[in-house]
Amino acid sequence: MSSIIEMVVYILAVLLAMYGLSAFHFEKYIRKERTKEFYVFYLVTSFALGYLFAQFILTFALIRL
């Protein structure tokens, strides 16, 4: 049961990271021919931020229990 909760927390954290990154207007700073590279960067950054946020939440929840 705890692994399912962890997986849900990770997925929600990555989605929140993607939602948060969408607030920035990166289109101003990328070149038109580099959109594929930007989306790879966007995904990697979203996963990294989501992972760090989920680790923080899970660690904080374990300390509180």
Side-chain angles (χ1 to χ4, degrees):
M1 184 65 172
S2 67
S3 62
I4 293 173
I5 294 172
E6 287 180 9
M7 187 63 65
V8 169
V9 169
Y10 280 118
I11 291 171
L12 288 176
V14 169
L15 291 175
L16 280 172
M18 292 178 97
Y19 179 70
L21 283 175
S22 69
F24 296 104
H25 297 286
F26 292 111
E27 296 87 20
K28 296 178 185 177
Y29 306 109
I30 60 170
R31 290 181 275 172
K32 299 290 183 203
E33 66 272 1
R34 297 289 187 176
T35 55
K36 282 191 240 179
E37 289 88 352
F38 167 72
Y39 286 120
V40 170
F41 170 75
Y42 182 77
L43 283 175
V44 169
T45 306
S46 297
F47 279 110
L49 286 174
Y51 174 78
L52 290 173
F53 181 60
Q55 284 293 328
F56 172 76
I57 295 298
L58 291 172
T59 303
F60 187 71
L62 287 176
I63 290 173
R64 291 294 195 181
L65 293 175

